[in-house]
């Protein structure tokens, strides 16, 4: 029998040597400005942020806590400081179509200046225009227009009167207007005298009066209205000239101030024209009283400049993170105000979204938050496809409201969108959203661990120093740094790797700082790190302790000494929240005569996961290959996890299930002082499993509580040797020979360890049992055949 020695204590935990560090405390180390072990992701970020092509937005993926968000933000902020400052964004009134405001993109800082300039110009116009209309020059010109009109009117009436007088007819002015009456000797003929006149004379007078009335009607209905229109036109021209004289020099000052910006020149032209067309607003505002003074008056809101994005204080391209990316917070919105029971709006109530603020730079979003907000994802894709930001309300898009709203001019988009999310999110979007691959062509994949080397140890130490300084923590002694590095390897579940989960490391440093300060130390020591780890474990160990308590009390049956046929200690892992622990689980098997069926009781009651069921089928194939290659396997077997009341998943118990099945077939007892973990393939090779450290420690805790006797231990796959990072007390027990770890690569080695017998003897007993079952099957078949023959003769 080949003896398989236990692993040496040195192989159970690859501890970091503090002597490799030249510093005494981390206060002597420089800050780390780069991220460790993420070269692939860093290259992707550099490429994605540098290429200026459509669709090359970034998706940064990786597990939470790796520092990807912090690093990408710092990287982009540093890059953005070297890039040009983008344009300011303003909305101004469209005087021709007020429901379609114009967008002005102006050099950085110009928007706020233009806003202030317009406010000041309106204030000056409110003084200058009324003053111009109250001047003597204007009054005299306006009076001249009125005097001219009056003179023309009087002249026409006088000429008509003279004409009537020449025909012995008087033109009379009454309260009801003008009238005609015949004269005699310069006096109006009385009605009774008129009646005495001959009919011929009366007919002559009436004919003359009719002609004069027609002439009067022409004057009143045609000439005088025409002269009034001419007077009004002259007065309007006078008003326009007067307004222009008051406005032009103020507008010209702004034209000169913004002479290099054609968009402002065009806007000022329309402002000047609107002021001239609506000059009465300024004249009435002066009469309205002090309470209406100011450019905020509703009459003058149309001259304001709505600055949506102001880059006056910017030092480069913007980097914006939207932590609540709702549709309106991304795209922007048009607000409304209630006035007299109605909702009204104008261009001053247009509000920017994060896309406006980040335009010309970088917008950072959490993909899960975007996807969970109503229409935010569709809105973001629409903007990226069209390369312009069009502000529309959801009510308009979905035709839910008929309220007339604004249609602001779209703004050209020049932006890099960076999405953060888990890998699953990326793969799901890539598979189910056809547009995703066209809009996010660069993936930056942050790993959760990296290579553990002497160089990475030095970088990890600088990272620890950086976190300590940033968080204002006590510096760490080099022995404490070494313990943190060991913990980083344990988090990675690999002695040759270090965890990139910086949040866990930062939490450990904060807690160790607390204990160090409580102890009155000036630097964090190894004991503080260990105490922080122990308290973390203790806080999360209530359920673990309950489970172990039930095992120690005998409620859950687990043997840690002696030998049993058809019974083995498997190891299962329970993950709860941010902690995971293992417990031994009794696996039993029974065998009997049958037709080759292997009953997985967990599967029969629908408690077996697909991977566990696959493992059982694989071990059945191994049995048939080894012991019944050229003949049927005449047995029935049952496998079960005893006292298991939940789902069983994974194939890490398949090697233990095979061994317990062979134990039942060979009637060879298995050592209960050993626990077994490992996955098996059809050739009997033992494959690596997960959580190997937790599984070993879970069985160790039970054995230690009952008392270590030097025979106890755990059998693990050889492929898991690089993953061993066991607790100090487990390593110490192994050094003292009170607990052992065995590594095997084939089921035959595992059988030898578990049974304590040579492999040939175990195989021979299995072969004998199979042969006995075959003979029994044949005997039963003959007996059945003979019985049928006898029954037929009878």
């Amino acid at each position: 029998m080949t003896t398989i020695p236990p692993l040496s204590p040195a192989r159970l935990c690859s501890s970091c040597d503090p002597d490799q560090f030249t510093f005494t405390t981390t206060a002597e180390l420089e800050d780390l400005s780069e991220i460790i072990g993420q070269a692939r992701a860093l290259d992707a970020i550099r490429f994605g942020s540098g290429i200026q092509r459509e669709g090359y937005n970034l998706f940064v993926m990786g597990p939470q806590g790796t520092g990807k968000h912090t690093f990408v933000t710092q990287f982009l902020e540093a890059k953005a400081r070297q890039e040009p400052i983008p344009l300011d964004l303003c909305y101004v009134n469209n005087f021709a179509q007020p429901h379609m405001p114009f967008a002005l993109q102006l050099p950085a800082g110009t928007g706020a200046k233009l806003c202030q300039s317009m406010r000041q110009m309106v204030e000056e116009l409110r003084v200058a225009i009324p003053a111009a209309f109250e001047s003597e020059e204007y009054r005299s010109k306006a009076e001249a227009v009125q005097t001219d009109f009056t003179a023309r009117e009087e002249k026409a009436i006088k000429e008509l009167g003279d004409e009537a007088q020449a025909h012995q007819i008087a033109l009379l002015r009454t309260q009801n207007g003008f009238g005609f009456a015949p004269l005699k000797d310069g006096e109006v003929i009385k009605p009774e005298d008129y009646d005495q006149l001959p009919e011929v004379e009366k007919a002559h007078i009436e004919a003359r009066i009719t002609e004069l009335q027609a002439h009067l009607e022409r004057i009143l209905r045609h000439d005088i209205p025409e002269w009034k229109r001419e007077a009004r036109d002259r007065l309007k021209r006078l008003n326009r000239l007067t307004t222009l004289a008051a406005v032009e020099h103020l507008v010209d000052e702004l034209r000169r101030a913004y002479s290099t910006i054609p968009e402002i020149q065009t806007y000022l032209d329309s402002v000047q024209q609107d002021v001239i067309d609506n000059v009465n607003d300024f004249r009435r505002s002066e009469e309205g009283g002090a309470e209406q003074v100011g450019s905020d008056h509703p009459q003058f809101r149309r001259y304001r400049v709505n600055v949506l994005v102001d880059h006056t204080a910017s030092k480069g391209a913007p980097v914006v993170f939207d932590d609540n990316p709702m549709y309106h917070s991304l795209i922007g919105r048009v607000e409304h105000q209630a006035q007299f029971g109605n909702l009204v709006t104008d261009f001053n109530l247009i509000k920017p979204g994060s896309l406006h603020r980040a335009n010309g730079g970088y917008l950072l979003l959490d993909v899960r938050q975007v996807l969970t907000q109503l229409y935010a994802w569709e809105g973001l894709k629409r903007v990226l496809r069209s390369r312009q930001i069009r502000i529309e309300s959801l009510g308009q898009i979905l035709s839910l409201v008929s309220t007339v709203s604004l249609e602001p001019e779209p703004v050209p988009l020049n932006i890099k969108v960076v999405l953060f999310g888990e890998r699953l999110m990326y793969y799901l979007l890539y598979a189910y959203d056809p547009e995703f691959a066209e809009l996010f062509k660069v993936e930056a994949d942050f790993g959760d661990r990296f290579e553990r080397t002497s160089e990475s140890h030095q970088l990890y130490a600088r990272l620890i120093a950086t976190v300590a300084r940033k968080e204002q923590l006590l510096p760490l002694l080099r022995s404490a740094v070494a313990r943190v590095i060991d913990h980083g390897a344990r988090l990675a579940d690999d002695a040759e790797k270090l965890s990139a989960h910086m949040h866990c490391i930062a939490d450990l440093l904060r807690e160790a700082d607390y204990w160090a300060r409580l102890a009155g130390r000036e630097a964090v020591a190894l004991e503080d790190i260990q105490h922080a780890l122990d308290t973390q474990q203790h806080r999360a160990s209530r359920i673990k302790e309950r489970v172990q308590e039930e095992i120690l009390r005998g409620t859950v049956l687990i043997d840690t000494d002696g030998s049993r046929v058809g019974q083995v200690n498997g190891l299962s892992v329970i993950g709860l929240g941010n902690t995971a622990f293992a417990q031994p689980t009794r696996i039993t098997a029974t065998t009997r005569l049958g037709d080759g069926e292997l009953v997985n009781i967990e599967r029969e009651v629908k408690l077996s996961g697909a991977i566990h069921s696959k493992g059982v089928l694989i071990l059945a194939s191994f049995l048939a290959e080894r012991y019944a290659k050229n003949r049927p396997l005449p047995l029935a077997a049952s496998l079960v996890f005893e006292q298991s009341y939940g789902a069983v998943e994974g194939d890490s118990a398949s090697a233990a299930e095979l061994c317990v099945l062979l134990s039942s077939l060979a009637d060879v007892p298995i050592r209960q002082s050993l626990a077994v973990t490992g996955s098996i393939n059809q050739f009997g090779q033992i494959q690596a499993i997960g959580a190997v450290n937790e599984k070993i420690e879970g069985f160790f805790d039970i054995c230690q509580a009952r008392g270590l006797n030097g025979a106890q231990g755990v059998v693990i796959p050889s492929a898991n040797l690089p993953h061993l990072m066991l607790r100090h007390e487990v390593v110490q027990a192994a050094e003292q020979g009170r607990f052992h770890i065995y590594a095997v690569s084939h089921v035959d080695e595992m059988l030898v360890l578990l049974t304590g017998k040579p492999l040939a003897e175990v195989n021979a007993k299995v072969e004998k049992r199979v042969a006995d079952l075959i003979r029994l099957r044949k005997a039963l078949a003959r007996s059945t055949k003979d019985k049928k023959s006898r029954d037929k003769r009878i």
Side-chain angles (χ1 to χ4, degrees):
M1 177 179 68
T2 304
T3 302
I4 299 175
L7 296 176
S8 64
R11 303 192 69 179
L12 303 183
C13 182
S14 298
S15 299
C16 176
D17 183 9
D19 292 335
Q20 67 181 293
F21 301 121
T22 58
F23 60 87
T24 303
T25 70
T26 54
E28 304 169 21
L29 298 177
E30 296 180 354
D31 283 347
L32 185 68
S33 58
E34 64 211 47
I35 194 166
I36 310 175
Q38 304 290 358
R40 179 186 293 105
L42 180 57
D43 289 343
I45 293 167
R46 286 173 176 158
F47 169 74
S49 62
I51 185 172
Q52 300 300 317
R53 296 291 179 180
E54 186 175 348
Y56 281 86
N57 298 295
L58 290 99
F59 192 105
V60 180
M61 57 182 171
Q64 292 288 338
T66 54
K68 59 182 182 294
H69 192 284
T70 301
F71 171 75
V72 172
T73 303
Q74 292 175 348
F75 176 87
L76 293 179
E77 286 177 346
K79 184 175 187 296
R81 283 193 290 270
Q82 309 303 318
E83 296 178 355
I85 301 174
L87 301 175
D88 287 350
L89 174 62
C90 308
Y91 271 102
V92 295
N93 190 28
N94 180 347
F95 297 100
Q97 295 178 298
H99 69 287
M100 301 178 67
F102 290 128
L104 296 182
Q105 289 190 285
L106 309 174
T110 305
K113 292 179 181 178
L114 178 62
C115 178
Q116 184 59 34
S117 297
M118 288 300 298
R119 282 178 176 271
Q120 184 176 351
M121 186 186 77
V122 170
E123 294 296 334
E124 293 178 358
L125 286 175
R126 295 189 71 256
V127 175
I129 290 177
F133 281 89
E134 292 174 1
S135 66
E136 288 297 328
E137 180 182 2
Y138 173 79
R139 288 175 182 246
S140 61
K141 290 181 179 180
E143 289 175 358
V145 171
Q146 184 61 37
T147 301
D148 182 61
F149 166 73
T150 304
R152 293 180 71 180
E153 181 182 18
E154 292 296 333
K155 180 181 178 183
I157 296 299
K158 184 178 183 304
E159 289 177 350
L160 178 62
D162 292 343
E163 181 182 352
Q165 188 75 33
H167 293 87
Q168 293 298 309
I169 295 175
L171 176 63
L172 304 177
R173 293 177 184 263
T174 68
Q175 292 181 348
N176 296 325
F178 292 95
F180 291 97
L183 296 174
K184 185 176 182 179
D185 301 328
E187 298 290 335
V188 176
I189 301 176
K190 296 180 180 179
E192 56 273 16
D193 295 336
Y194 181 76
D195 292 336
Q196 300 299 321
L197 294 175
E199 291 297 329
V200 174
E201 188 176 353
K202 287 197 292 186
H204 179 73
I205 292 171
E206 289 176 358
R208 288 293 181 183
I209 290 175
T210 300
E211 291 177 3
L212 290 171
Q213 284 178 336
H215 190 183
L216 175 62
E217 187 173 349
R218 283 197 304 272
I219 293 172
L220 294 179
R221 292 192 177 185
H222 180 269
D223 294 345
I224 291 178
E226 180 67 24
W227 298 334
K228 282 184 178 180
R229 282 194 294 272
E230 290 177 4
R232 283 197 300 268
D233 290 343
R234 289 176 61 190
L235 194 58
K236 284 182 180 180
R237 287 194 295 273
L238 175 61
N239 289 344
R240 292 177 67 87
L241 291 173
T242 303
T243 304
L244 182 61
V247 171
E248 191 170 28
H249 74 280
L250 294 175
V251 177
D252 284 344
E253 288 181 9
L254 294 186
R255 288 194 180 100
R256 288 191 293 272
Y258 302 101
S259 59
T260 59
I261 307 174
E263 295 85 355
I264 294 182
Q265 300 295 315
T266 303
Y267 170 64
L268 291 176
D269 290 342
S270 62
V271 168
Q272 177 175 301
Q273 186 61 45
D274 187 79
V275 170
I276 294 172
D277 293 341
N278 298 278
V279 66
N280 288 334
D281 290 343
F282 290 87
R283 297 177 69 180
R284 284 196 299 269
S285 69
E286 189 65 19
E287 301 167 359
E291 67 277 4
Q292 295 184 341
V293 173
S295 60
D296 290 334
H297 189 278
Q299 294 177 152
F300 307 122
R301 285 175 60 86
R302 63 182 182 270
Y303 303 118
R304 294 179 61 181
V305 175
N306 183 8
V307 183
L308 267 69
V309 181
D310 179 16
H311 286 293
T312 302
S314 298
K315 303 299 182 183
V319 179
V320 177
F321 174 66
D322 191 342
D323 59 353
N324 186 27
M326 296 186 295
Y327 176 85
H328 289 306
S329 70
L330 280 173
I331 310 299
R333 66 191 184 278
V334 178
E335 294 182 344
H336 292 74
Q337 290 180 339
Q339 288 185 3
F340 306 107
N342 296 318
L343 291 178
V344 297
T345 186
D346 63 19
F347 71 96
N348 291 288
L349 296 177
I350 300 174
K351 303 300 179 183
S354 53
L355 284 164
H356 294 101
R357 294 192 297 273
N359 201 8
Y362 305 90
L363 176 61
L364 283 56
L365 300 169
D366 184 278
V367 68
R368 184 182 294 273
Q369 293 179 346
V370 176
L371 292 172
T372 54
Q373 297 292 343
L374 184 64
Y375 287 97
W377 177 243
E378 292 301 323
L380 177 63
K381 290 192 298 180
R382 176 170 57 84
V383 168
L384 292 177
R385 283 196 311 269
S386 63
R387 305 298 298 169
Q388 61 180 9
I389 311 172
R390 183 184 298 275
I391 300 177
E392 294 178 293
S393 70
L394 285 177
Q396 289 176 294
I397 294 174
L398 302 177
S399 300
L400 297 178
V401 295
S402 58
T403 304
V404 177
S405 187
L406 300 182
E407 298 178 22
E409 182 182 5
V411 179
L413 183 70
N414 176 28
I415 200 173
K416 283 286 182 183
V417 177
V418 182
L419 291 181
F420 294 88
E422 301 88 350
R423 295 186 180 95
L424 178 61
M425 285 290 185
Y426 176 82
Y427 299 134
L428 287 175
L429 286 170
Y430 200 96
Y432 294 106
D433 191 334
E435 296 173 318
F436 176 75
E438 294 300 319
L439 297 176
F440 294 89
K441 297 183 178 181
V442 182
E443 69 273 19
D445 193 351
F446 277 72
D448 54 0
R449 55 185 186 171
F450 52 90
E451 293 294 329
R452 183 181 181 184
T453 62
S454 57
E455 181 182 357
S456 63
H457 282 182
Q458 301 294 333
L459 292 174
Y460 220 74
R462 288 179 58 194
L463 175 62
I464 292 169
T466 304
V467 173
R469 267 192 288 271
K470 180 180 178 182
E471 297 283 337
Q472 297 182 349
L473 307 177
L474 294 174
L476 282 75
L477 297 174
R478 58 184 178 183
S479 58
V481 171
R483 184 65 186 92
V484 174
I485 291 174
D486 289 344
H487 181 62
R490 175 62 185 261
L491 289 175
D493 281 328
D494 196 325
E496 299 174 357
K497 305 285 185 181
L498 287 174
S499 173
H501 201 282
M502 293 298 108
H503 283 191
C504 289
I505 299 300
D507 288 343
L508 175 60
L509 296 179
R510 295 184 191 105
E511 294 177 26
D513 175 80
Y514 170 78
W515 296 116
R517 292 180 188 273
L518 204 62
R521 296 190 179 94
E522 296 182 356
V524 177
L526 170 62
E527 294 81 4
D528 301 314
I529 297 293
Q530 189 60 51
H531 188 48
L533 291 171
D534 293 342
T535 53
Q536 283 182 353
Q537 184 68 28
H538 178 70
R539 290 196 298 269
S541 64
R542 186 185 65 84
I543 296 178
K544 172 185 174 182
E545 291 175 357
R546 283 289 303 276
V547 170
Q548 292 178 351
E549 178 185 352
E550 296 303 319
I551 293 175
L552 296 175
R553 294 173 65 183
T555 306
V556 177
L557 302 178
I558 297 292
D559 292 335
T560 54
D561 57 13
S563 299
R564 301 287 187 276
V565 174
Q567 177 178 304
V568 71
N569 290 323
L571 293 167
S572 58
V573 175
I574 301 173
L576 296 171
N578 63 348
T579 187
F581 64 91
Q583 65 173 18
T585 302
R586 176 175 288 181
I587 303 174
T588 60
T590 59
T591 55
R592 56 203 173 274
L593 180 64
D595 296 321
E597 67 271 14
L598 178 58
V599 178
N600 174 10
I601 294 178
E602 260 72 32
R603 182 182 180 187
E604 296 300 314
V605 297
K606 295 181 173 56
L607 288 177
S608 175
I611 298 176
H612 176 253
S613 298
K614 175 186 175 184
V616 174
L617 293 174
I618 289 174
L619 68 89
S621 298
F622 173 82
L623 277 176
E625 169 68 19
R626 174 167 286 194
Y627 299 109
K629 191 169 187 177
N630 299 313
R631 57 187 177 181
L633 193 60
L635 66 84
S638 299
L639 285 169
V640 68
F641 281 66
E642 302 288 358
Q643 294 183 284
S644 172
Y645 307 106
V648 176
E649 181 59 304
D651 62 353
S652 64
S654 58
E657 290 170 320
L658 176 58
C659 290
V660 75
L661 195 58
L662 292 175
S663 167
S664 178
L665 277 172
D667 196 27
V668 174
I670 287 178
R671 294 168 57 190
Q672 300 301 297
S673 59
L674 295 177
V676 182
T677 184
S679 166
I680 193 171
N681 63 20
Q682 292 190 106
F683 302 107
Q685 296 170 320
I686 305 297
Q687 302 167 142
I689 47 85
V692 64
N693 295 296
E694 287 81 1
K695 290 178 177 179
I696 293 172
E697 292 168 357
F699 191 65
F700 172 81
D701 289 339
I702 297 299
C703 294
Q704 185 183 45
R706 288 179 172 174
L708 299 174
N709 57 22
Q712 295 148 335
V714 178
V715 183
I716 66 170
S718 297
N720 282 116
L721 286 177
H723 307 144
L724 292 179
M725 284 296 296
L726 295 170
R727 297 198 315 249
H728 175 71
E729 54 188 324
V730 181
V731 178
Q732 188 177 37
E735 288 176 346
Q736 297 169 356
R738 298 187 298 135
F739 194 79
H740 307 287
I741 312 296
Y742 301 93
V744 298
S745 58
H746 198 276
V747 68
D748 294 340
E749 299 172 327
M750 188 175 286
L751 276 172
V752 171
L753 273 173
L754 292 176
T755 63
K757 297 183 180 298
L759 179 64
E761 180 180 340
V762 176
N763 281 333
K765 290 186 176 185
V766 174
E767 291 281 1
K768 181 178 181 302
R769 178 71 187 281
V770 171
D772 290 345
L773 291 173
I774 290 174
R775 284 194 296 271
L776 180 58
R777 167 55 63 85
K778 289 180 179 179
L780 288 174
R782 285 195 299 270
S783 174
T784 302
K785 184 177 181 182
D786 291 344
K787 185 176 182 302
K788 287 182 179 179
S789 297
R790 287 195 301 272
D791 292 342
K792 187 176 181 180
R793 287 196 297 272
I794 293 173

